[in-house]
């Protein structure tokens, strides 16, 4: 396994981490098998996203003998609806309660990173960062030693960049993949994280699986997706979501893949051509 420094935190994180979203709803045996196999292969960064009790208990069982070897990123703003589904919450008391529930279920007194979830819009930024809001909660948890560092996650550049510039953020989790990076402006996050020494965690490296299902032109492999994300400025670790051993192995294959297998140059060229369009010499756009 390759290890990198996670920005100003100084934490040495595995270049390939693990997103746990798709382990939700899986049996405990399957969760334990996948997580422990990841640990055995050198993975030490785990993104724990949901607040579902069974989900947390299954991860706790997997981490139990290895807590000292793993770095846990625990999310806040992620609650459970009355119907038992995911629900975004900015309510401070609820998030405080759910955070302490996570600590209790994991059998630990702290997480390494407390991640404020889904800072997507400028209105989200204002809500999160208002006096007495969840950013203040995260700062209090850090001061109390219950979280070592503070992170934010988001999908849109303006709100994520503003939070990094104006708040005491140590880590940012942001989508990084070949397809989405063609959108102008997205790489601003790489620059601002590098300037502020904010650790950058690459999520959605497969674009929710869509990047791997290109029916046209060259197929994209998990190894190429991992390679592309890790090559971007400031990225310390990628957190592919996996649901079974096959998907874990597909991501870990990057570690032993030769340069020709890791190369995404052809895919990148094709993606750029698709973004620009292809000339069919009709002359309707003249002058170009």
């Amino acid at each position: 396994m390759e290890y990198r420094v996670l920005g100003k935190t100084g934490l040495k994180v595995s270049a390939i981490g693990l997103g746990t979203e798709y382990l939700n709803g899986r049996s405990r045996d399957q969760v334990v098998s996948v997580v422990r196999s990841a640990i055995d292969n050198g993975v030490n960064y785990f993104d724990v996203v949901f607040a579902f009790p069974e989900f947390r208990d299954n991860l706790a069982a997997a981490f139990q003998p290895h807590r000292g070897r793993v770095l846990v990123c625990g999310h806040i703003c992620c609650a459970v609806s009355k119907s038992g589904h995911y629900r975004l919450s900015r309510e401070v008391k609820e998030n405080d309660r759910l955070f302490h529930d996570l600590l209790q279920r994991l059998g630990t007194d702290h997480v390494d990173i407390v991640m404020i979830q889904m800072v997507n819009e400028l209105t989200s930024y204002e809500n999160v960062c208002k006096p007495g809001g969840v950013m203040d909660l995260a700062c209090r948890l850090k001061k109390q030693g219950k979280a070592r560092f503070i992170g934010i996650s988001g999908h849109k550049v303006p709100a994520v960049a503003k939070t990094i510039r104006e708040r005491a953020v140590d880590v940012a989790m942001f989508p990084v993949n070949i397809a989405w990076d063609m959108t102008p402006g997205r790489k601003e996050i790489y620059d601002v994280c590098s300037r502020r020494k904010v650790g950058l965690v690459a999520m959605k490296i497969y674009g929710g699986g869509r990047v791997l299902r290109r029916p046209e032109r060259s197929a994209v492999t998990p190894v190429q997706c991992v390679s592309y994300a890790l090559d971007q400025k400031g990225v310390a670790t990628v957190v592919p979501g996996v649901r079974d051993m096959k998907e874990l192995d597909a991501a870990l294959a990057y570690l032993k893949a030769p340069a020709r297998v890791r190369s995404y140059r052809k895919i990148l060229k094709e993606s750029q051509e698709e973004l620009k369009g292809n000339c069919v010499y009709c002359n309707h756009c003249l002058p170009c």
Side-chain angles (χ1 to χ4, degrees), residues 11-288:
L11 297 174
K12 291 185 177 180
V13 298
S14 52
I16 300 176
L18 194 71
T20 59
E21 177 179 4
Y22 294 112
L23 292 176
N24 181 47
R26 304 287 163 174
S27 70
R28 176 165 298 186
D29 286 346
Q30 186 167 341
V31 173
V32 169
S33 176
V34 170
V35 170
R36 291 190 181 172
S37 180
I39 294 171
D40 288 342
N41 280 279
V43 174
N44 73 351
Y45 187 93
F46 291 85
D47 186 70
V48 180
V49 58
F50 292 128
F52 304 124
E54 184 180 7
F55 169 79
R56 291 178 165 183
D57 289 344
N58 287 344
L59 288 174
F63 292 150
Q64 192 61 44
H66 307 289
R67 180 63 183 95
R69 297 170 57 189
V70 302
L71 300 170
V72 174
C73 172
H75 285 234
I76 57 176
C77 298
C78 186
V80 181
S81 69
K82 291 181 179 179
S83 60
H85 296 97
Y86 163 84
R87 175 174 59 84
L88 183 69
S89 171
R90 303 297 193 200
E91 209 284 314
V92 172
K93 288 184 179 180
E94 180 177 40
N95 279 291
D96 190 24
R97 175 179 60 79
L98 289 172
F99 176 82
H100 285 88
D101 175 79
L102 175 64
L103 295 185
Q104 182 180 2
R105 290 180 187 277
L106 293 184
T108 186
D109 61 357
H110 75 281
V111 296
D112 298 281
I113 298 157
V114 56
M115 183 68 69
I116 300 172
Q117 191 179 64
M118 295 284 283
V119 187
N120 271 350
E121 308 290 347
L122 292 177
T123 52
S124 299
Y125 166 85
E126 293 166 359
N127 193 338
V128 163
C129 296
K130 67 184 180 183
V134 291
M135 180 63 78
D136 282 353
L137 169 62
C139 291
R140 172 161 53 86
L141 293 172
K142 181 178 179 180
K143 186 176 182 180
Q144 293 171 345
K146 296 176 181 178
R148 297 171 66 188
F149 302 102
I150 297 172
I152 63 158
S153 74
H155 297 77
K156 298 182 180 181
V157 172
V160 173
K162 182 178 178 66
T163 311
I164 293 169
R165 290 191 187 102
E166 299 186 4
R167 297 293 165 170
V169 174
D170 304 299
V171 178
M173 187 163 72
F174 190 75
V176 179
N177 65 64
I178 293 174
W180 297 3
D181 273 6
M182 293 300 102
T183 306
R186 288 189 66 82
K187 292 191 177 184
E188 178 188 346
I189 297 300
Y190 308 161
D191 293 331
V192 70
C193 283
S194 294
R195 290 196 302 270
R196 301 275 176 166
K197 296 184 178 180
V198 169
L200 182 55
V201 176
M203 66 173 171
K204 300 290 190 294
I205 65 169
Y206 305 142
R210 290 188 293 276
V211 175
L212 302 176
R213 296 193 295 267
R214 295 193 346 155
E216 73 288 349
R217 300 198 180 186
S218 304
V220 184
T221 68
V223 168
Q224 289 171 317
C225 291
V226 172
S227 181
Y228 175 82
L230 288 176
D231 279 351
Q232 303 314 300
K233 183 169 68 174
V235 172
T237 183
V238 301
V239 285
V242 305
R243 67 192 77 210
D244 53 35
M245 293 295 299
K246 181 180 178 181
E247 293 182 356
L248 175 63
D249 290 342
L252 293 175
Y254 165 86
L255 298 171
K256 296 182 179 180
R260 61 177 176 77
V261 175
R262 291 183 180 187
S263 176
Y264 48 82
R265 184 176 301 177
K266 182 179 180 182
I267 307 301
L268 196 59
K269 182 180 179 181
E270 289 177 357
S271 296
Q272 289 171 336
E273 288 174 354
E274 289 161 8
L275 185 69
K276 294 176 182 176
N278 297 302
C279 182
V280 293
Y281 308 106
C282 67
N283 296 324
H284 290 176
C285 66
L286 290 178
C288 290

